[in-house]
């Protein structure tokens, strides 16, 4: 039910702080200890490499999750687009673990990889919002996203739930392997939930940005470095799928290798700046596009902000910034679609679950 909301997408964007809190609760026992299935712990400890398989937004969540699993749990990770996996099958490690990320649990491209790797005898874990789904039933292990039903075709709360559960999986594995973390991840997730909640109260500011910068544009670019780059890919996907504005996410450093040729007077360029180690570099990329007439909108994080930034999100742990910075990207897409009278919840040519290859 939409309740007082005009669209499921907006409702689902707003639910994200609650989803974060639900995930924290669902994965902790009464002593605040993580309570992941022992079998999953065993599989995580036993593997020498993780292969994440997913499509679309879930693939973008996988790119973020790779960092958690490598940095916190010390396991090398490859992230693959499901539909490409069989053509470009990598040379597998000795003890691979396949992790399928899928909101619906029904994506045919992912399922065909699952069938193939099961035939090869490899273990599989599915992270899904629908525990009884095909990908969940056919895998050895399942982690539930606890996002609640996602109705809008454009995925929002499932993306942030996927990232949060990937973080929990990484933390749990780190603990199982007796690896020290220099921060309290569950505490940091709670801080993220609060930061998200503040954002859902700042819709008017985002709507104004859309009106002023994305009104009649035919295209838009998203640039970022490091983790921000992955969020740029997701921001661009959201914008194109519901507003039909041609949008692309680029790594800041790649601009000069080609894309900068497309920057003209008034071209909207959305830049993400939430990472201290790349703040200087991404800001020089912004200067480069502004010098060529771009209409810049910088989304930064408290502590790294500059006066000219379009929007500043609250400070959260540097590994978890995608959970927060994606919210204004989702809202940008929402208002851009709304202002163009697009069917926000049911964009043309798209289905909620893609059951054909
Ligand atoms: C984008 C979107 C799609 C899905 C993709 C995978 O907003 O919803 O890109 O993320 O089709 O779907 P699942 O996660 O159900 O496997």
């Amino acid at each position: 039910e939409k309740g007082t909301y005009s669209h499921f997408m907006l409702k689902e964007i707003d639910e994200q702080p609650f989803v974060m809190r639900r995930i924290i609760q669902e994965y902790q026992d009464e002593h605040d200890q993580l309570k992941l299935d022992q079998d999953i712990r065993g599989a995580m400890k036993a593997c020498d490499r993780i292969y994440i398989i997913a499509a679309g937004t879930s693939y973008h969540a996988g790119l973020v999750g790779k960092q958690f699993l490598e940095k916190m749990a010390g396991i090398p990770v490859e992230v693959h687009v499901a539909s490409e996996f069989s053509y470009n099958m990598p040379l597998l490690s000795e003890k691979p673990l396949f992790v399928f990320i899928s909101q619906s649990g029904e994506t045919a491209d992912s399922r065909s990889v699952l069938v193939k790797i099961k035939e090869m005898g490899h273990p599989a874990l599915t992270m899904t919002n629908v525990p009884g789904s095909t990908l969940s039933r056919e895998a050895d292990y399942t982690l539930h996203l606890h996002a609640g039903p996602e109705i809008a075709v454009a995925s929002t709360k499932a993306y942030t739930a996927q990232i949060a559960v990937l973080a929990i999986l990484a933390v749990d594995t780190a603990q199982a392997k007796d690896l020290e973390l220099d921060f309290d991840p569950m505490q940091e997730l709670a801080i993220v939930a609060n930061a998200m909640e503040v954002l859902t109260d700042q819709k008017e500011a985002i709507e104004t940005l859309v009106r002023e910068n994305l009104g009649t544009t035919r295209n838009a670019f998203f640039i970022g470095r490091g983790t921000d780059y992955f969020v740029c890919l997701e921001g661009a996907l959201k914008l194109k799928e519901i507003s039909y504005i041609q949008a692309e996410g680029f790594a800041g450093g790649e601009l000069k290798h080609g894309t900068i040729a497309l920057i003209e007077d008034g071209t909207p360029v959305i830049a993400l700046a939430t990472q201290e180690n790349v703040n200087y570099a991404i800001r020089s990329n912004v200067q480069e596009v502004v010098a060529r007439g771009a209409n810049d909108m910088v989304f930064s994080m408290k502590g790294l902000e500059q006066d000219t930034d379009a929007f500043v999100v609250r400070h959260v742990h540097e590994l978890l910034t995608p959970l927060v910075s994606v919210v204004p990207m989702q809202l940008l897409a929402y208002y851009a679609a709304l202002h163009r009278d697009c069917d926000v919840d049911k964009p043309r040519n798209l289905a909620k679950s893609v059951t054909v290859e």
Side-chain angles (χ1 to χ4, degrees), residues 25-71:
Q25 254 183 5
E26 292 285 345
Y27 281 104
Q28 278 186 322
D29 65 16
E30 64 276 22
H31 308 294
D32 289 350
Q33 296 299 311
L34 288 179
K35 49 166 191 189
L36 260 70
D37 197 283
Q38 286 298 337
D39 293 344
I40 295 180
R41 276 187 194 153
M44 292 293 289
K45 273 180 88 170
C47 74
D48 64 358
R49 185 175 288 261
I50 289 173
Y51 297 82
I52 293 180
I53 310 290
T57 289
S58 299
Y59 169 72
H60 295 157
L63 295 172
V64 175
K66 169 183 160 82
Q67 317 227 350
F68 303 154
L69 292 162
E70 292 195 334
K71 291 187 178 152

Side-chain angles (χ1 to χ4, degrees), residues 12 39 68 116 139 151 153 166 202 295:
E12 290 162 6
D39 293 344
F68 303 154
K116 188 177 183 128
I151 309 293
V153 164
L166 280 159
Q202 292 177 306
N295 193 2

Side-chain angles (χ1 to χ4, degrees), residues 102-107 128-130 133-135 352-354:
S102 176
Q103 189 286 129
S104 64
E106 300 297 341
T107 299
T128 182
N129 207 23
V130 187
S133 59
T134 309
L135 283 168
K352 183 67 187 161
S353 94
V354 185

Side-chain angles (χ1 to χ4, degrees), residues 71-116:
K71 291 187 178 152
M72 296 195 242
I75 307 172
V77 180
E78 291 182 24
V79 193
H80 292 270
V81 168
S83 62
E84 281 291 306
F85 188 79
S86 36
Y87 314 129
N88 290 314
M89 179 124 154
L91 193 59
L92 298 180
S93 66
E94 260 172 51
K95 289 184 252 164
L97 172 65
F98 282 80
V99 175
F100 292 84
I101 307 178
S102 176
Q103 189 286 129
S104 64
E106 300 297 341
T107 299
D109 289 325
S110 298
R111 176 159 189 257
S112 77
V113 179
L114 175 59
V115 169
K116 188 177 183 128

Side-chain angles (χ1 to χ4, degrees), residues 9 57 60 154-155 206 210 213-215 217-222 231-249 268-270 297 326 328-338 340 342 344 347-348 350:
M9 184 181 178
T57 289
H60 295 157
S155 183
I206 303 287
V210 167
N213 299 291
L214 296 176
T217 190
R218 287 171 56 87
N219 60 2
F221 296 102
F222 291 72
V231 181
C232 284
L233 296 177
E234 175 59 10
L237 178 59
K238 279 300 82 99
L239 187 65
K240 58 189 147 189
E241 70 178 324
I242 60 169
S243 77
Y244 316 139
I245 295 171
Q246 173 160 23
E248 296 302 333
V269 176
I270 292 133
M297 272 177 275
V326 79
M329 301 297 109
Q330 297 166 342
L331 288 168
L332 270 186
Y334 174 78
Y335 286 111
L338 197 67
R340 284 168 192 237
C342 299
V344 171
R348 68 186 182 207
L350 290 171

